[in-house]
Amino acid sequence: MRITRPAADARVPLEQIDLTDTDLYTDGDAHLVWQTLRAECPVFWQNRGDGHGFWAVTRRADVRRVLSDHETFSSEGGTAIAMLDAPDPAAGLMMQSTDPPRHRKYREQVGKPFSARAVPAYTEFVQRFVKESMEPARDGEVWDVASSFVRLPMALCAMMMGLPEEDIDPLLRLAYASLAPHDPRYSTHGAAKPTAGSAHYEIMGYFARCIGDRRRNPTDDLTSYLMSIEVAGRRLTDEELLYNCLSLLLGAVVTTSHVINATIIALTEKHGGEGFWPDAMPTQPAVEEALRWASPVTHFMRRARHDTMIVGQKIAAGEAVTAWIASANRDETTFERPYGLDFARTPNRHIVFGAGPHTCLGRHLARLMLRSSFAELCAAVESFELADEPVHLASNEIAGVVSLRLRAKFRG
Ligand code: HEM
C-alpha cells in the first residue's frame, strides 16, 4: 500500500470513498481517506452499491473496542471484507473465527509454540536467512528486497511446520492468492474472477496430505504438535486441523516482510531516493515504530451480536463492522505527529497486532523476525537507493509491496 503523509486539513468527499477498491491501496491515498473518516465520519457506512454494505470505524478507541469486545462483536461471521457475502465456513472451527470461551481453549494449546519464551529459538534461522538473502546484492546487482524478504516468514513457517523447502514458493503464492485475489501477480483467473476460495482449498488440500503423512510417520514439528493437542477434552477434528493450519500459514506469511519494505521506502523518501539507517534502527522502540508505520494488516471485521451504539451511531444485530487498524495507528488524538516516522517514539500505543482475545498469536515471532532482520541489514548495508518505483500489492486487507528494487552499498 502507498503510505502517504496527507496535510492535516486535507479531506476527500465522503461520497467518493470506497474502502473495498483495491486501487485505493496501490495508486490512491488510503491514509487521506482514513484521515477524512476519523475527522468527519468515525462510524461510516460503506455502501457497496448492491444494497449491501458494512460499517467502518477508524478511530483508535473504536477500533480497539470492536476488536476486543467479543460479547458485542463476534468473530464467527467472517473477519474480513472479503467474507461479507457468505457465512464463514470456519466459524467455531478455526481459532480466529471462534469467540470466547471456546476460543480461549484453542488459544491455550495452539499458542504454546508461539510464546515469548519459545520463539528466541528461531533467531539463528532468521539471521542466516537474511545474510543469505543479501548475498546476490553484494556485487552491485539490483536487489528486489520485497521478493527476498517475502520468503522469510514462509521459510520460517515451513521449518516450524516441517514442510519441505520446495513447497515454500508454491505455498507463498497460494497464501497471497487467497489474501490479494485481485492482484494481477497472484490471481490465477484474472481480476474478474478472484481466487481466494480456490486458494484456501488448495492450501487445505496440501495440509490434508501433510496430516496423512504425519499419521503414517509421526514427527516432532508444529504440524504433529497440532495433531496431538486436546481442546475441551478431545483432539482436533481433521476439519479443525486444516482450518488452523491455514490460519497459521496465512497469519504468518503475508504480513511481516511488509514492515521491512515500508521502512526502507520511508527512509529513501526522506533523502530523495537514497536511504541510510538511523542510529536507533535495531532497537525495540524503532521496531515498534516500523510496525506502526507499516501497519501491514489494514482491517479486521466483526458482526454485531445484538443492537449496539458506536459514537452515537446505531449498529443493528448482524451488521458487519470493519475495524481499520492502519487508520487507528495514525489517530492524531493518540499519536503526536502521526505521519512522522519517529524511531524513538515512546510510548508507542499502536495496535498493529489487534486487541483483545484475538491479539496476534504470532506477535513475538514477528518481532523476532523484524529485530533480527533490521540488525543484519544495518550491520551489512551502509546505504541504499531505489532502482525503480516500488510496486504495491492490490489488496484491501494487506498493506503490502510486491516489488522494491534497490541498489545497496555494503559496508567495508
Ligand atoms: C507484522 C506481522 C503481523 C501482523 C501485523 C499481524 C496482525 C494480526 C492481527 C491484527 C490479528 C488480530 C485478528 C483479529 O482480531 O481477528 C492477528 C491474529 C493472528 N495472527 Fe498475526 N500478525 C502478524 C504476524 C503473525 C505471524 C508471524 C503469525 C504466525 C504464527 C501470526 C498468526 C496469527 C494468528 C494465528 C492469529 C489469530 C489469533 C486468534 O484468533 O487468537 N501473525 N494478527
Side-chain angles (χ1 to χ4, degrees):
M1 191 189 93
R2 276 182 69 229
I3 296 186
T4 56
R5 299 171 167 87
D9 56 354
R11 301 285 182 265
V12 275
L14 292 180
E15 62 279 9
Q16 286 179 13
I17 292 178
D18 181 359
L19 291 164
T20 65
D21 180 7
T22 52
D23 291 347
L24 173 63
Y25 306 89
T26 48
D27 307 314
D29 192 345
H31 277 296
L32 174 58
V33 165
W34 294 326
Q35 173 170 284
T36 304
L37 293 177
R38 288 193 302 274
E40 292 186 0
C41 192
V43 190
F44 173 70
W45 176 253
Q46 178 69 68
N47 195 329
R48 293 194 309 167
D50 57 359
H52 297 283
F54 56 88
W55 295 104
V57 297
T58 42
R59 290 182 181 165
R60 184 180 177 283
D62 302 325
V63 171
R64 254 189 84 82
R65 180 184 159 213
V66 169
L67 293 179
S68 49
D69 177 2
H70 62 88
E71 280 169 5
T72 309
F73 302 104
S74 169
S75 293
E76 298 196 2
T79 53
I81 299 174
M83 297 152 97
L84 261 180
D85 296 319
D88 183 353
L93 298 171
M94 182 167 92
M95 185 169 59
Q96 202 195 336
S97 304
T98 301
D99 293 325
R102 181 161 173 74
H103 167 267
R104 222 177 348 264
K105 297 195 167 73
Y106 274 126
R107 179 106 180 184
E108 271 164 20
Q109 295 302 320
V110 179
K112 280 183 190 162
F114 299 96
S115 69
R117 205 179 313 161
V119 302
Y122 305 114
T123 310
E124 225 181 289
F125 178 93
V126 177
Q127 288 168 338
R128 200 172 49 245
F129 182 98
V130 179
K131 283 194 175 97
E132 284 173 11
S133 302
M134 285 188 290
E135 274 316 303
R138 283 191 180 272
D139 57 10
E141 284 296 296
V142 172
W143 177 29
D144 189 341
V145 175
S147 301
S148 288
F149 278 96
V150 77
R151 298 183 82 254
L152 167 62
M154 183 63 238
L156 180 56
C157 184
M159 189 267 273
M160 291 175 75
M161 297 186 93
L163 313 178
E165 240 183 275
E166 62 268 24
D167 295 348
I168 290 178
D169 289 323
L171 281 172
L172 191 57
R173 203 185 151 70
L174 284 171
Y176 273 92
S178 77
L179 284 158
H182 294 280
D183 191 292
R185 290 153 214 86
Y186 297 107
S187 172
T188 48
H189 302 292
K193 196 170 177 208
T195 57
S198 57
H200 280 177
Y201 284 118
E202 275 195 61
I203 296 172
M204 287 167 72
Y206 173 87
F207 279 115
R209 291 189 292 280
C210 287
I211 289 165
D213 286 348
R214 302 289 186 288
R215 290 223 162 94
R216 287 185 293 278
N217 303 301
T219 52
D220 61 357
D221 53 40
L222 178 59
T223 314
S224 291
Y225 169 76
L226 293 174
M227 292 165 68
S228 74
I229 60 178
E230 292 199 354
V231 171
R234 60 158 179 81
R235 294 259 169 102
L236 300 185
T237 62
D238 279 6
E239 219 183 356
E240 287 172 305
L241 273 171
L242 295 181
Y243 275 121
N244 285 293
C245 286
L246 172 72
S247 164
L248 285 173
L249 184 88
L250 296 185
V253 165
V254 298
T255 46
T256 314
S257 66
H258 300 303
V259 178
I260 300 169
N261 298 329
T263 306
I264 289 177
I265 293 172
L267 290 173
T268 56
E269 281 170 355
K270 206 169 166 184
H271 305 282
E274 195 178 2
F276 309 90
W277 300 112
D279 292 342
M281 196 54 230
T283 62
Q284 197 55 37
V287 170
E288 296 307 316
E289 179 67 348
L291 279 160
R292 183 192 75 90
W293 181 257
S295 291
V297 175
T298 60
H299 76 279
F300 272 112
M301 193 176 85
R302 300 289 190 261
R303 293 255 175 201
R305 288 170 183 272
H306 48 77
D307 291 358
T308 188
M309 303 288 283
I310 308 178
V311 205
Q313 173 63 55
K314 185 183 164 200
I315 311 290
E319 284 181 336
V321 184
T322 52
W324 291 84
I325 294 170
S327 169
N329 287 336
R330 293 290 191 279
D331 189 328
E332 35 292 278
T333 63
T334 301
F335 301 100
E336 252 178 61
R337 297 187 310 107
Y339 299 105
L341 177 64
D342 174 3
F343 290 116
R345 189 186 292 274
T346 43
N348 193 333
R349 297 172 62 220
H350 72 69
I351 49 170
V352 76
F353 293 118
H358 293 278
T359 298
C360 179
L361 185 85
R363 64 195 185 285
H364 303 301
L365 206 55
R367 286 184 166 117
L368 170 100
M369 283 189 266
L370 292 172
R371 243 188 349 262
S372 300
S373 299
F374 282 130
E376 293 299 323
L377 282 166
C378 291
V381 176
E382 188 178 314
S383 64
F384 38 87
E385 62 180 332
L386 286 185
D388 282 313
E389 276 302 299
V391 180
H392 299 278
L393 183 70
S395 167
N396 55 34
E397 282 181 61
I398 301 297
V401 176
V402 288
S403 164
L404 176 54
R405 287 161 49 82
L406 297 179
R407 273 193 193 82
K409 187 170 165 207
F410 283 80
R411 296 186 199 278

